[in-house]
Amino acid sequence: MNFAKFFLSALLILSANLCAYSIEKDPEQKGGIKEEIKEYIAHHLKDSHSFGIASYTKENGEKVYIEIPLPVILYDNGFKFFMSSEFKHGKKVVTSNENYYRMYYDKNRIYKTDSEGTFIYDDSNKLLNEKPIDFSITKNVVVMIFTALFMLWLFISLARSYKTNKGISKGMGRFFEPIVLYVRDEIARPNIGKNYKKYMSFLLTIFFFVLFLNLLGLTPIGINVTGNIAITFSLALLTFIITNITANKNYWAHIFWMPGVPKPIRLILAPIELLGVFIKPLTLMIRLYANMQGGHIVIMSIIGLMFIFYNWIGSSLSFVLAFLLMIIELFVALLQAYIFTILSALYFGFANEEHEH
Amino acid sequence: MEKLLEEFSIGLFFWHSLIFLSLIFLLKKFAWKPILDTINEREEGIKDALESAEKAREEMQSLQADNEEIMKQARIERDSILKEARDLKNTIISESKDEAKKEAGKIIQSANEAIRNEKNAAVSEIKKQVAGLSIEIAEKLLNEKLSDNEKQMKIVDELLKDVKLK
């Protein structure tokens, strides 16, 4: 491990030096590429209204996108449906029931505009246009549906294989059965205790769902579902709701009237503990979001470095670095799924603790 | 924080919650429950199998002890049966010997009796013949006596010479 750390930091320092060197050589041209890479990364990290596969710029400067358009669903005094291809990447205004909508492509947001599609800015360069509530089937929604269907197929076929094979798993289930057992024996049982059974469905689903989405995020199709704050918020909210709904008297007693400490301290502890109830799921949300988001940014930056260097030494070093980081990200994908699950289990455990005072 | 709020999409939150909750529900019903039940069953099965194997081993041991006991008893019984048979044989032999002896005694006795009877019959026959002869002699003697005394005596002697006990 120490060797790996040393190796990585050496590579980082080396590549930073090379980077500085090459930028000095031709600052104008590289600056343009850098901006492009930055935009590209920022755009990739966001959700998208179409399933993009590739894009390139023609010689006459026209940008060509190869992508699958996805349905847009807006709520603006009634639901509006149309395909995302109608926006033409923010160049065209879409008319629906005498309302006009235009997409701000860099932000990937849909705004209500006039028939000309003008964006109105205030003094601090902030958009003032009204935003309809966007229920579109975005790229992330498509990926989630795909993951959900994949999980349904995978685990239902595992359950079926038990029936047809006298209680012994067969095929792909062979690989996943020990993981299910691991979640039960190493995550749920030691952290929750004897009431672990009612949480098993949630823990197993969240573990595999986050794991598959994290792994899908490492594929070159460019998916970033678990690095999206709305997703991690929804996951953490579920943990929060389940923790507090299933909590026993003991749990609430420990929050509002801590037993075993002097009374004045109890008064001080109550607000802190109450804050903790909200902070715990919030950390879950931020941890998963930041790890996945950060991993994507780092990997794509290193890959981008190859194009910034544009020479044999720097680019190949960046390639090696990107390759090593990818291996670490693979581990992080598994680790974050594990951490989310084990911390959820731990919070459920708090809610179910039986104290003997 | 502002960036996070700006990034937050209600639509995505809605879809995710919907998809995730239905996924939990469907998986719980069709996958997790049967999977965990089967795993539990299997674990119970293994536990039961181990227990019953232990029980069987114990039973085997007690059975073996029983077997030995039975063998021992059987051996004793066999010995006693053999002994009885030997005794029986001896008694049968001795009984039949006695019987034979008795039979032989009887046969000898009846033979003796028959011999005695025959002897008696023979003796009485002789007696009859002797009586007849005596009468004949007496007759001849009487006839001779009438002629000569000397001759009479001679005749008696001669006659007596002839007479022999048969």
Side-chain angles (χ1 to χ4, degrees):
Chain A
M1 198 60 214
N2 272 333
F3 173 75
K5 264 187 193 162
F6 171 76
F7 185 66
L8 275 181
S9 42
L11 267 178
L12 267 170
I13 292 163
L14 201 65
S15 46
N17 283 340
L18 281 167
C19 179
Y21 171 72
S22 51
I23 286 167
E24 261 176 338
K25 233 169 70 179
D26 197 354
E28 275 170 52
Q29 199 196 336
K30 303 293 174 191
I33 282 184
K34 264 166 99 181
E35 275 307 309
E36 201 186 321
I37 289 169
K38 215 170 143 189
E39 265 172 42
Y40 192 87
I41 293 172
H43 185 76
H44 159 82
L45 291 174
K46 288 197 180 75
D47 199 0
S48 166
H49 281 85
S50 56
F51 208 114
I53 293 158
S55 67
Y56 61 94
T57 315
K58 274 190 183 169
E59 270 176 33
N60 57 13
E62 192 193 337
K63 260 202 146 179
V64 180
Y65 298 91
I66 302 165
E67 59 187 16
I68 303 158
L70 297 170
V72 174
I73 304 165
L74 298 177
Y75 184 78
D76 184 21
N77 295 322
F79 284 104
K80 316 242 184 298
F81 303 92
F82 47 90
M83 292 306 278
S84 67
S85 50
E86 288 183 39
F87 283 120
K88 303 274 177 217
H89 303 279
K91 284 186 196 108
K92 227 179 138 189
V93 181
V94 175
T95 321
S96 175
N97 295 358
E98 290 164 16
N99 284 320
Y100 302 98
Y101 303 101
R102 192 178 160 194
M103 184 194 266
Y104 197 113
Y105 189 66
D106 287 345
K107 283 190 176 171
N108 200 44
R109 279 255 183 267
I110 296 164
Y111 292 93
K112 207 172 173 184
T113 59
D114 55 14
S115 59
E116 303 287 305
T118 36
F119 288 128
I120 311 153
Y121 297 92
D122 68 357
D123 297 337
S124 57
N125 216 16
K126 212 176 156 195
L127 266 173
L128 291 175
N129 292 52
E130 201 187 322
K131 274 192 285 186
I133 304 173
D134 189 353
F135 284 109
S136 304
I137 306 293
T138 57
K139 187 171 159 181
N140 282 354
V141 177
V142 171
V143 173
M144 276 191 291
I145 292 172
F146 168 76
T147 311
L149 289 178
F150 173 70
M151 277 173 70
L152 280 173
W153 170 76
L154 180 67
F155 292 111
I156 290 175
S157 67
L158 171 61
R160 289 247 169 88
S161 77
Y162 283 130
K163 269 185 203 153
T164 53
N165 204 28
K166 292 174 194 161
I168 294 161
S169 53
K170 220 167 85 179
M172 229 199 312
R174 277 247 168 110
F175 178 75
F176 288 100
E177 190 200 284
I179 306 177
V180 172
L181 274 177
Y182 182 83
V183 172
R184 190 193 67 175
D185 294 339
E186 304 297 327
I187 295 179
R189 262 189 194 159
N191 287 309
I192 301 174
K194 61 178 177 3
N195 290 330
Y196 76 95
K197 268 187 185 152
K198 61 180 169 183
Y199 300 107
M200 277 310 290
S201 298
F202 176 76
L203 291 175
L204 284 168
T205 314
I206 210 163
F207 178 76
F208 285 108
F209 192 69
V210 172
L211 176 65
F212 288 142
L213 286 175
N214 283 352
L215 289 176
L216 272 177
L218 298 177
T219 55
I221 2 171
I223 298 160
N224 182 28
V225 184
T226 39
N228 191 300
I229 198 76
I231 306 287
T232 56
F233 176 72
S234 167
L235 289 173
L237 186 68
L238 269 174
T239 300
F240 173 75
I241 291 171
I242 293 173
T243 309
N244 289 300
I245 282 180
T246 59
N248 59 13
K249 250 189 239 164
N250 231 309
Y251 172 75
W252 295 114
H254 272 78
I255 289 167
F256 293 114
W257 209 238
M258 182 73 83
V261 290
K263 275 184 184 166
I265 295 178
R266 287 184 193 189
L267 282 174
I268 302 166
L269 274 178
I272 296 172
E273 286 287 330
L274 191 63
L275 210 61
V277 172
F278 296 99
I279 287 174
K280 279 172 197 161
L282 268 176
T283 57
L284 272 186
M285 168 179 98
I286 299 290
R287 184 181 300 107
L288 182 60
Y289 164 78
N291 269 288
M292 296 331 287
Q293 182 92 306
H296 280 246
I297 292 173
V298 170
I299 284 207
M300 292 209 300
S301 308
I302 305 275
I303 292 171
L305 269 183
M306 282 190 245
F307 299 96
I308 291 174
F309 285 143
Y310 213 64
N311 62 40
W312 281 104
I313 306 162
S315 295
S316 25
L317 275 177
S318 310
F319 177 80
V320 171
L321 197 60
F323 179 73
L324 291 173
L325 268 171
M326 208 66 182
I327 295 171
I328 294 173
E329 277 303 307
L330 215 58
F331 173 65
V332 168
L334 182 67
L335 187 72
Q336 287 307 319
Y338 170 74
I339 287 177
F340 202 104
T341 318
I342 201 165
L343 285 177
S344 294
L346 199 66
Y347 300 157
F348 298 155
F350 288 152
N352 270 281
E353 228 167 353
E354 301 284 348
H355 287 280
E356 304 290 333
H357 285 294
Chain B
M1 197 64 202
E2 207 175 309
K3 189 176 164 269
L4 283 185
L5 283 178
E6 200 197 329
E7 266 184 37
F8 189 84
S9 155
I10 292 169
L12 195 58
F13 171 71
F14 165 76
W15 284 116
H16 175 262
S17 305
L18 186 74
I19 292 167
F20 192 69
L21 283 175
S22 37
L23 184 66
I24 291 179
F25 175 75
L26 287 174
L27 279 178
K28 183 180 183 172
K29 197 163 176 206
F30 297 111
W32 302 137
K33 216 174 154 326
I35 288 173
L36 291 173
D37 282 353
T38 318
I39 289 172
N40 273 339
E41 249 169 57
R42 200 168 55 193
E43 277 169 359
E44 297 275 305
I46 290 169
K47 223 169 88 186
D48 284 355
L50 283 176
E51 265 169 26
S52 61
E54 180 67 19
K55 222 183 257 174
R57 209 169 58 89
E58 272 166 26
E59 249 165 55
M60 269 292 286
Q61 268 174 348
S62 73
L63 258 175
Q64 252 170 357
D66 280 2
N67 272 355
E68 253 160 56
E69 189 67 24
I70 288 167
M71 283 282 281
K72 221 160 126 190
Q73 267 177 355
R75 225 170 281 137
I76 291 168
E77 213 160 301
R78 185 198 64 185
D79 287 352
S80 74
I81 287 170
L82 279 176
K83 201 171 156 248
E84 242 170 68
R86 218 175 289 132
D87 289 354
L88 197 65
K89 183 191 79 177
N90 288 344
T91 49
I92 286 170
I93 288 172
S94 62
E95 262 174 28
S96 45
K97 262 184 189 167
D98 287 355
E99 198 88 353
K101 247 182 225 166
K102 251 187 222 165
E103 203 70 19
K106 259 186 203 166
I107 288 167
I108 289 167
Q109 211 179 350
S110 63
N112 282 345
E113 221 156 283
I115 289 167
R116 211 178 296 135
N117 287 344
E118 286 294 311
K119 202 176 114 187
N120 287 348
V123 169
S124 62
E125 187 76 14
I126 289 167
K127 274 178 183 167
K128 262 185 202 164
Q129 276 185 14
V130 170
L133 276 176
S134 310
I135 291 165
E136 260 178 61
I137 292 168
E139 217 176 59
K140 278 176 183 174
L141 221 86
L142 280 173
N143 287 341
E144 289 282 321
K145 204 182 173 176
L146 295 170
S147 50
D148 190 358
N149 248 355
E150 241 176 284
K151 262 188 182 177
Q152 277 175 357
M153 274 316 284
K154 220 177 163 183
I155 291 162
V156 171
D157 279 341
E158 273 172 15
L159 280 171
L160 277 174
K161 250 182 218 171
D162 287 346
V163 177
K164 261 176 198 170
L165 279 173
K166 278 174 194 172

